Amino acid sequence: MTVSGADNLRFWEQYSETEKSSFLKSVAMETHLLSVYNDSFAISDNEETFELLDLLSDNKYGHSQTNAIVDAFYFHCFSKILILADGALAEVMGYYCMRIVKNSPQYTILYLMSHKEIRDAFVTYIGYEIYCSDDQNSIYEDLMNCLKVDTTFAEEFVAKIKNWVLQVGS
């Protein structure tokens, strides 16, 4: 399975410790992002968490070589929040997952291809978002339209979401 243009995309774990350290020291960033990275941010359904999720899900990952490490860091932080989300926060994570898929389909699909835990979380949260929707077909259509990348994995990803919704609904 290939994704066109994927050769230029890198994820946080693909950077060396030296590159990561240099980046973290050189960039002035939102304090809460560093706290998420350092596992010291209290993830909850509060204003600070929602502001972070808005910031992270608005980003267009993989669209700029000059910001490649920023993209990788942001996506890494989003993934940390995604895995830790529970309760009321978990109920809204599907919305943020959908925003990331829509804004950065290529980067997201490429990442999900090799990160099962994150892929399963995306499937669950997007599935929940669809399950609660009155217009499920429109959301599936929207997903397929934004996932026009050169891989069958995108179709498999949407099929996993559909299966999740069917299992919950039965």
Side-chain angles (χ1 to χ4, degrees), residues 79-97:
S79 296
K80 285 182 142 212
I81 294 171
L82 184 72
I83 294 304
L84 296 173
D86 63 0
L89 183 60
E91 291 178 11
V92 299
M93 289 306 295
Y95 167 77
Y96 292 105
C97 289

Side-chain angles (χ1 to χ4, degrees), residues 99-152:
R99 283 177 65 174
I100 285 184
V101 169
K102 288 178 183 178
N103 285 334
S104 307
Q106 183 184 46
Y107 191 94
T108 305
I109 288 298
L110 189 62
Y111 190 85
L112 298 180
M113 286 169 64
S114 58
H115 295 83
K116 184 182 180 330
E117 182 181 23
I118 304 301
R119 178 183 65 237
D120 290 348
F122 265 78
V123 166
T124 299
Y125 289 129
I126 292 173
Y128 181 78
E129 188 78 11
I130 292 170
Y131 179 74
C132 294
S133 171
D134 292 333
D135 193 9
Q136 294 180 356
N137 288 334
S138 173
I139 296 174
Y140 285 126
E141 209 172 286
D142 197 22
L143 256 179
M144 286 309 294
N145 285 336
C146 70
L147 288 175
K148 299 279 186 209
V149 293
D150 302 337
T151 178
T152 57

